[in-house]
Amino acid sequence: MSKIEKREIVLLSAIVIGLSSLICFISYKLDNSNLSILTVFTPSLLALVFTAIAKGRKGVHDLFIKQTVKKTSIKWLLLSLFGIPLMASFAILTDLNFDVSQFGLRTTQLMPQVIVIVLIALGEEYGWRGFLLPKLMSKFNLFYSSIIIGLIWGFWHFPAYLIGTGVPLEMNFMIFLLWVLLATLMISWIYYYTRSVLTSILIHISANAAFNYLFILPEFTGSMTPFWILLLYLSVVVLIVYYVKRKDLIKRPITL
């Protein structure tokens, strides 16, 4: 990792958290929580600005097109799209003692939820996985790179958490941070084998869709139990993957 890349990582992380904090502060002062949704665009927009300044049009093309429009195995696309929803569904069924008759969707309304969910993923993933992850992977192994991004991504949510948005209601922030770290490890694992931001976008979309449409969050269930079970299942998956693939995922810096 060059000094320039190190500076870019620090600057983007600091600015994205600072800018999001400012947006949340304005949202709070104006008593308009809807304004806080603007924070979701800050990671990708800043990645665009940083890339355009440092690498010009080619860099922007590589970030937004080359990392998205590429041949990707169907197994990774399916895992990205259905992995977390399936784990969430299994967690709910576990909590219900596998009484399938009690399993159902929280809502069937598609709009505007789907649009918001997609915009959130697009607004974040080119910053976290498209920009930051490849730079960190040139210095650290995938595991450490993921922990760093997970902490940045998690604490980026904190200003919104303070004003009651951006984080599931009735959930302690440290529990949410644990979820972000585990999700980051999963996203990074798939990114490592695909080099595709599309897979990261699909995981982000599918996770938010699961939270919106399934009875997994405490604000919809009145209980943390289903979410705790989801964290348990996700922890087991991540632990197994990083152990079995440790030569790939926990080796020293990766050449992209």
Side-chain angles (χ1 to χ4, degrees), residues 1-123:
M1 178 190 296
S2 67
K3 289 184 179 180
I4 293 176
E5 287 181 319
K6 187 181 297 185
R7 189 181 305 119
E8 286 179 334
I9 291 171
V10 173
L11 279 176
L12 183 135
S13 302
I15 294 173
V16 78
I17 292 175
L19 187 56
S20 296
S21 299
L22 177 61
I23 292 171
C24 289
F25 178 75
I26 294 172
S27 175
Y28 173 75
K29 282 296 184 180
L30 295 179
D31 194 24
N32 184 351
S33 60
N34 291 328
L35 288 176
S36 64
I37 191 66
L38 295 176
T39 61
V40 305
F41 301 106
T42 56
S44 291
L45 285 176
L46 284 171
L48 169 62
V49 171
F50 275 60
T51 302
I53 292 173
K55 298 182 178 179
R57 183 178 299 178
K58 183 182 184 304
V60 172
H61 179 273
D62 289 345
L63 173 63
F64 289 96
I65 305 300
K66 190 175 180 180
Q67 287 198 79
T68 307
V69 183
K70 62 188 308 180
K71 186 177 181 180
T72 304
S73 171
I74 188 66
K75 71 177 182 180
W76 294 116
L77 294 175
L78 291 175
L79 180 60
S80 300
L81 197 53
F82 297 109
I84 289 179
L86 285 174
M87 278 188 276
S89 298
F90 195 63
I92 294 168
L93 286 171
T94 303
D95 186 50
L96 295 173
N97 294 316
F98 293 94
D99 183 353
V100 180
S101 65
Q102 294 187 52
F103 183 88
L105 296 178
R106 188 189 69 84
T107 178
T108 57
Q109 184 178 5
L110 294 178
M111 301 298 174
Q113 288 94 326
V114 170
I115 294 175
V116 173
I117 287 170
V118 171
L119 287 176
I120 288 173
L122 293 174

Side-chain angles (χ1 to χ4, degrees), residues 9 43 50 78 96 98 123 137-138 145 175 177 211 214:
I9 291 171
F50 275 60
L78 291 175
L96 295 173
F98 293 94
M137 285 167 61
S138 68
S145 298
I175 297 174
L177 181 60
F211 291 165
L214 299 177

Side-chain angles (χ1 to χ4, degrees), residues 112-140:
Q113 288 94 326
V114 170
I115 294 175
V116 173
I117 287 170
V118 171
L119 287 176
I120 288 173
L122 293 174
E124 294 185 38
E125 286 306 322
Y126 288 104
W128 306 137
R129 254 59 65 169
F131 185 86
L132 284 183
L133 184 56
K135 295 182 186 300
L136 286 167
M137 285 167 61
S138 68
K139 174 66 175 178
F140 306 103

Side-chain angles (χ1 to χ4, degrees), residues 66-232:
K66 190 175 180 180
Q67 287 198 79
T68 307
V69 183
K70 62 188 308 180
K71 186 177 181 180
T72 304
S73 171
I74 188 66
K75 71 177 182 180
W76 294 116
L77 294 175
L78 291 175
L79 180 60
S80 300
L81 197 53
F82 297 109
I84 289 179
L86 285 174
M87 278 188 276
S89 298
F90 195 63
I92 294 168
L93 286 171
T94 303
D95 186 50
L96 295 173
N97 294 316
F98 293 94
D99 183 353
V100 180
S101 65
Q102 294 187 52
F103 183 88
L105 296 178
R106 188 189 69 84
T107 178
T108 57
Q109 184 178 5
L110 294 178
M111 301 298 174
Q113 288 94 326
V114 170
I115 294 175
V116 173
I117 287 170
V118 171
L119 287 176
I120 288 173
L122 293 174
E124 294 185 38
E125 286 306 322
Y126 288 104
W128 306 137
R129 254 59 65 169
F131 185 86
L132 284 183
L133 184 56
K135 295 182 186 300
L136 286 167
M137 285 167 61
S138 68
K139 174 66 175 178
F140 306 103
N141 63 38
L142 189 71
F143 179 80
Y144 288 138
S145 298
S146 301
I147 296 300
I148 292 170
I149 287 183
L151 290 172
I152 295 169
W153 187 19
F155 283 107
W156 171 79
H157 285 87
F158 190 66
Y161 169 77
L162 292 176
I163 64 172
T165 64
V167 173
L169 302 177
E170 301 179 27
M171 183 180 294
N172 183 279
F173 182 77
M174 297 309 294
I175 297 174
F176 176 76
L177 181 60
L178 175 59
W179 149 255
V180 170
L181 288 169
L182 290 171
T184 301
L185 287 167
M186 179 175 177
I187 295 172
S188 296
W189 152 46
I190 295 176
Y191 179 89
Y192 175 85
Y193 289 108
T194 63
R195 299 296 194 268
S196 171
V197 178
L198 177 60
T199 57
S200 304
I201 291 170
L202 290 177
I203 296 173
H204 203 143
I205 288 173
S206 67
N208 283 343
F211 291 165
N212 184 74
Y213 288 102
L214 299 177
F215 286 98
I216 193 73
L217 297 180
E219 61 196 83
F220 303 135
T221 64
S223 169
M224 276 295 299
T225 303
F227 194 78
W228 276 120
I229 298 173
L230 170 60
L231 291 182
L232 174 62

